[in-house]
Amino acid sequence: MKVIELIDYLQQNIEMSPKNLVGKVAINKKEVLSTLNEIRRALPDELEEAKNLVRRRDAILSEARKEEAAIIENSRKRAQEEYENCDILLAARREAEEILEKANSEANQIKAAAVKEAKELRYGVMNYADSTLSTLQKDIDLIGEESLKVVQNEMEEMLIRIYKEISSTTTRIRENNKELGNTNE
């Protein structure tokens, strides 16, 4: 959850930054870049947690399958023993069928629960990763747009200065030409 906290911090930092008369926000570039680096470092940890959840799900499913097989095998052995050792063959068959049905039912319940938990974990991980990446992309886009505006403003100011310098130089050259023309007469 550290990534979400860092993104919240970054958003709060941007929202709380002072604005100039035009409404542009002045942000501390070093602090924003540092926060983005922390987000990058935290993402692998949280993705590793998600992988661990998926591994745990797989282990639960594997254990459920083993339990199912063991229950079924035990039921078969018990039914076979009852069949061989019992005088009442029909009673033994009924009991074996009940045990087998119960084992299958329990195995199906365990399997269904494990599959459900696995799906929930997978969807949770996918939604979390998508939400985190979406928020991060929005923040990056916003910072990019603001940076582009700053560069555009600086370029406009530079072009205006160059234009004024050229105009000033042209005016001086004309004045010098007039003076030269006046002195030659």
Side-chain angles (χ1 to χ4, degrees):
M1 290 302 181
K2 183 171 181 170
V3 171
I4 298 297
E5 292 169 5
L6 288 169
I7 290 172
D8 289 343
Y9 170 76
L10 188 60
Q11 181 177 358
Q12 183 182 20
N13 190 1
I14 292 170
E15 289 173 354
M16 300 302 288
S17 295
K19 296 180 180 177
N20 62 17
L21 295 175
V22 186
K24 293 185 179 179
V25 176
I27 60 173
N28 183 334
K29 179 180 176 181
K30 199 177 217 180
E31 188 174 339
V32 168
L33 292 175
S34 172
T35 304
L36 287 173
N37 284 332
E38 285 185 49
I39 290 171
R40 283 188 191 101
R41 284 192 302 273
L43 271 175
D45 293 340
E46 294 191 9
L47 290 176
E48 189 61 36
E49 287 179 31
K51 286 180 186 176
N52 289 337
L53 290 175
V54 170
R55 278 190 221 112
R56 195 176 99 212
R57 178 210 60 191
D58 292 342
I60 289 170
L61 282 173
S62 176
E63 188 63 31
R65 288 184 188 115
K66 288 177 185 176
E67 285 182 30
E68 176 187 24
I71 289 170
I72 290 170
E73 184 60 29
N74 287 338
S75 297
R76 284 185 185 146
K77 286 180 182 177
R78 188 171 170 196
Q80 184 65 31
E81 288 172 4
E82 290 292 324
Y83 176 77
E84 291 171 358
N85 296 329
C86 187
D87 293 345
I88 308 169
L89 182 60
L90 293 176
R93 284 185 183 167
R94 272 189 244 122
E95 187 177 341
E97 289 172 1
E98 288 173 6
I99 291 170
L100 188 57
E101 285 177 13
K102 184 178 178 183
N104 284 333
S105 175
E106 287 177 7
N108 287 336
Q109 288 174 353
I110 291 170
K111 184 178 179 180
V115 167
K116 181 181 177 186
E117 183 178 347
K119 283 182 182 178
E120 290 172 0
L121 287 171
R122 187 177 75 214
Y123 290 129
V125 168
M126 288 169 51
N127 288 337
Y128 175 75
D130 185 52
S131 172
T132 301
L133 292 173
S134 176
T135 302
L136 185 59
Q137 184 64 48
K138 286 177 187 175
D139 290 344
I140 289 170
D141 289 347
L142 179 64
I143 291 169
E145 287 175 11
E146 291 174 1
S147 297
L148 184 59
K149 288 177 184 176
V150 167
V151 169
Q152 285 174 333
N153 287 339
E154 290 176 1
M155 288 299 290
E156 286 175 8
E157 291 172 10
M158 183 182 77
L159 290 173
I160 290 171
R161 278 195 313 271
I162 290 171
Y163 175 77
K164 286 179 180 178
E165 288 176 17
I166 290 172
S167 293
S168 172
T169 303
T170 305
T171 303
R172 275 188 269 139
I173 290 171
R174 284 185 182 158
E175 289 172 2
N176 289 340
N177 280 340
K178 282 182 187 178
E179 287 179 19
L180 283 172
N182 288 340
T183 58
N184 288 339
E185 294 177 345

